[in-house]
Amino acid sequence: MAERPRLRSEYFENLYSASPDPWGFETSPYERRKYERTLEVLQDRRYGRALEVGASIGVFTEMLAPLCDELLGVDVSEKAVSVARQRLRKYSHVRIERRELPEEMPEGPFGLILASEVLYYLPREVMLETLARFEDALAPGGRLLAVHWRKETETYPLQGDEVHGLLVGNSRLHVRETIVEPEYRLDLFEDGR
């Protein structure tokens, strides 16, 4: 079967044109449960500098902000970035930027990189390149947290379980915690340096 193409910014701009919250980040019980679980896994430490990839409209960014001294949220959609900037304007330690990864990966080091429901938009080789960029940008002892929806879709280049299989099989980071729920999988990786 031919690999599905990478989903680019136009795809996401169209989604945000049709709805200001296309995945229901503000209202979805699924998103709320996943956010709470993600915060539970992360709240055992404070992060000096963190990167949230796929910040969208900033719903989780706002929840993550209290755990960070400096937080950079990035998204490929200018529409989403605009909404997130408004939502987070009261936080002087949070910046939101439009970037397309891995090509526009911000310079590290980061104590935390969070990739929630974004890596399956990339074909295999681009996803692995993104993982390498994440590893390069992590501070010694830093963490990479990946969480993805596990339901099958014909739209995305990869499925959630595929993403996590590739991460576990190709990362130099060690897995600190894995949570597998029917709807999503979460892996917390840590740099051993």
Side-chain angles (χ1 to χ4, degrees), residues 13-133:
E13 294 298 0
N14 287 336
L15 286 175
Y16 286 104
S17 291
S19 167
D21 186 6
W23 288 277
F25 293 131
E26 295 178 309
T27 58
S28 164
Y30 160 75
E31 294 295 343
R32 186 62 50 188
R33 286 190 305 274
K34 184 184 69 177
Y35 292 159
E36 289 169 357
R37 197 69 179 273
T38 302
L39 286 173
E40 284 174 21
V41 169
L42 294 174
Q43 65 189 2
D44 65 329
R45 72 164 73 161
R46 183 148 187 88
Y47 302 94
R49 190 161 180 250
L51 171 66
E52 182 189 10
V53 179
S56 183
I57 60 172
V59 174
F60 186 74
T61 315
E62 189 170 22
M63 296 174 178
L64 182 60
L67 299 180
C68 308
D69 295 333
E70 183 182 335
L71 175 56
L72 172 60
V74 300
D75 200 276
V76 71
S77 165
E78 190 59 57
K79 286 179 174 60
V81 163
S82 178
V83 172
R85 283 179 179 151
Q86 278 298 109
R87 177 187 305 277
L88 296 153
R89 67 186 179 277
K90 64 185 174 205
Y91 297 97
S92 62
H93 70 294
V94 177
R95 281 189 356 264
I96 305 294
E97 297 178 359
R98 201 219 64 78
R99 289 181 182 247
E100 188 163 10
L101 302 187
E103 297 84 358
E104 299 173 323
M105 179 71 188
E107 191 172 322
F110 295 100
L112 171 67
I113 298 175
L114 173 70
S116 180
E117 309 225 27
V118 293
L119 296 176
Y120 45 37
Y121 299 134
L122 306 172
R124 182 183 192 280
E125 292 308 313
V126 180
M127 201 286 296
L128 291 173
E129 180 184 341
T130 304
L131 170 61
R133 301 271 182 106

